[in-house]
């Protein structure tokens, strides 16, 4: 569950980072009832067959730790399918205390970790993060893309030339934990997105999904994860 790390000098803080956000992307399409009221969104989950987004999250968290706690040593905990799928139950918070699997506790002990940075998926309402989303659309979590068919696209003359955007989103939760006491020292929710309007050069009727190449979509999520996780960890460390 953990990557081996050299023993730190006595008194040196050791931050172990675990990210459980990068196993799949959620493609969210708003739906309507026959009377045009909002219905539950349609979700399509796309598996991610490598650790690219968890690597981005861990890298951003580690950089923030080294910036604000220069003396700290860093370690990384490894994710697996069980941790991804059951993360909410396996890392249940009860007040300021957090439950953790014994395998994770053993890995933390092995690495001599004093603190843990835990990055998990947040499940929260769609309408909290998108201007045109409505309360009846339901929830989203983790990483993915949201289609907003109502977002106007403006031409150079500021006239509306099309409608539609694709928004990479990150609905995440970051917690910094005292390993010895299993106490959550600080936590922050991330509900952020970066809407990208359909380019004017895309043919009329083309889905906003096709306005970006596969590589552009991956890069958009990667940038969002690095920015938001780095920002959140930095802000949390400043209040400890």
């Amino acid at each position: 569950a953990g990557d081996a790390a050299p023993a730190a000098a006595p008194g040196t803080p050791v931050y172990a980072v675990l990210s459980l956000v990068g196993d799949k992307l959620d493609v969210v399409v708003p739906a309507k009832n026959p009377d045009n009221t909002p219905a539950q969104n349609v979700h399509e989950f796309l598996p991610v067959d490598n650790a690219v987004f968890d690597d981005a999250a861990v890298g951003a968290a580690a950089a923030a730790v080294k910036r604000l706690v220069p003396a700290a040593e860093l370690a990384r905990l490894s994710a697996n399918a069980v941790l991804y799928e059951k993360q909410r139950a396996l890392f249940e918070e009860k007040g300021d205390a957090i439950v953790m699997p014994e395998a994770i506790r053993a890995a933390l002990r092995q690495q001599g970790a004093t603190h843990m940075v835990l990055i998990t998926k947040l499940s929260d309402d769609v309408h909290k993060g998108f201007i045109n989303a409505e309360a009846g659309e339901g929830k989203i979590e983790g990483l993915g893309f949201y289609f907003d068919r109502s977002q106007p696209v403006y031409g150079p003359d500021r006239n509306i030339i099309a409608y539609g955007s694709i928004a990479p989103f990150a609905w995440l939760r970051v917690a910094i934990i005292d390993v010895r006491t299993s106490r959550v020292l600080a936590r922050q929710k991330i509900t952020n997105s970066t809407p990208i309007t359909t380019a004017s050069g895309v043919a009329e009727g083309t889905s906003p999904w096709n306005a970006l190449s596969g590589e552009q979509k991956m890069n958009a999520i990667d940038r969002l994860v690095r920015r938001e996780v780095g920002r959140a960890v930095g802000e949390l460390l400043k209040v400890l």
Side-chain angles (χ1 to χ4, degrees), residues 112-165:
T114 58
H115 298 79
M116 179 181 180
V117 180
L118 178 63
I119 308 160
T120 54
K121 299 176 184 178
L122 170 70
S123 177
D124 210 343
D125 294 324
V126 177
H127 74 270
K128 292 183 178 180
F130 298 95
I131 294 174
N132 293 321
E134 300 181 73
E137 290 187 21
K139 297 179 182 294
I140 56 176
E141 73 172 25
L143 304 174
F145 296 91
Y146 178 84
F147 284 174
D148 185 347
R149 302 184 188 280
S150 302
Q151 176 68 42
V153 181
Y154 295 93
D157 58 1
R158 300 302 298 162
N159 288 323
I160 296 175
I161 58 174
Y163 288 89
S165 72

Side-chain angles (χ1 to χ4, degrees), residues 3-233:
D3 297 338
T12 300
V14 178
Y15 282 75
V17 186
L18 174 61
S19 173
L20 296 173
V21 302
D23 61 323
K24 59 189 172 185
L25 298 177
D26 184 6
V27 181
V28 183
V29 181
K32 293 287 187 180
N33 292 312
D35 62 358
N36 207 39
T37 57
Q40 290 289 304
N41 289 333
V42 177
H43 296 260
E44 179 181 357
F45 294 97
L46 305 178
V48 178
D49 59 6
N50 57 50
V52 59
F53 299 130
D54 286 314
D55 288 348
V58 171
V65 171
K66 290 302 289 183
R67 187 173 66 253
L68 290 162
V69 191
E73 298 289 339
L74 292 164
R76 177 172 182 172
L77 300 178
S78 301
N80 58 47
V82 174
L83 293 178
Y84 280 125
E85 292 301 322
K86 298 183 178 181
Q87 57 185 266
R88 198 173 306 169
L90 292 175
F91 295 94
E92 182 182 4
E93 291 187 23
K94 300 179 178 179
D96 286 337
I98 187 168
V99 174
M100 286 188 281
E102 181 52 40
I104 294 296
R105 292 188 182 279
L108 292 168
R109 288 194 298 268
Q110 180 183 8
Q111 295 180 345
T114 58
H115 298 79
M116 179 181 180
V117 180
L118 178 63
I119 308 160
T120 54
K121 299 176 184 178
L122 170 70
S123 177
D124 210 343
D125 294 324
V126 177
H127 74 270
K128 292 183 178 180
F130 298 95
I131 294 174
N132 293 321
E134 300 181 73
E137 290 187 21
K139 297 179 182 294
I140 56 176
E141 73 172 25
L143 304 174
F145 296 91
Y146 178 84
F147 284 174
D148 185 347
R149 302 184 188 280
S150 302
Q151 176 68 42
V153 181
Y154 295 93
D157 58 1
R158 300 302 298 162
N159 288 323
I160 296 175
I161 58 174
Y163 288 89
S165 72
I166 176 175
F169 67 80
W171 254 234
L172 311 177
R173 195 168 186 283
V174 178
I176 298 180
I177 301 160
D178 183 308
V179 172
R180 184 180 63 83
T181 63
S182 297
R183 178 169 166 260
V184 179
L185 302 176
R187 58 172 72 88
Q188 186 175 129
K189 294 180 179 179
I190 296 172
T191 53
N192 205 289
S193 63
T194 309
I196 302 170
T197 54
T198 305
S200 58
V202 176
E204 183 177 354
T206 298
S207 166
W209 181 256
N210 297 322
L212 297 178
S213 68
E215 183 179 2
Q216 287 173 319
K217 294 185 185 82
M218 296 290 282
N219 288 341
I221 294 288
D222 187 273
R223 287 193 300 270
L224 184 59
V225 169
R226 290 181 187 277
R227 185 188 75 210
E228 290 302 309
V229 171
R231 177 195 56 76
V233 173

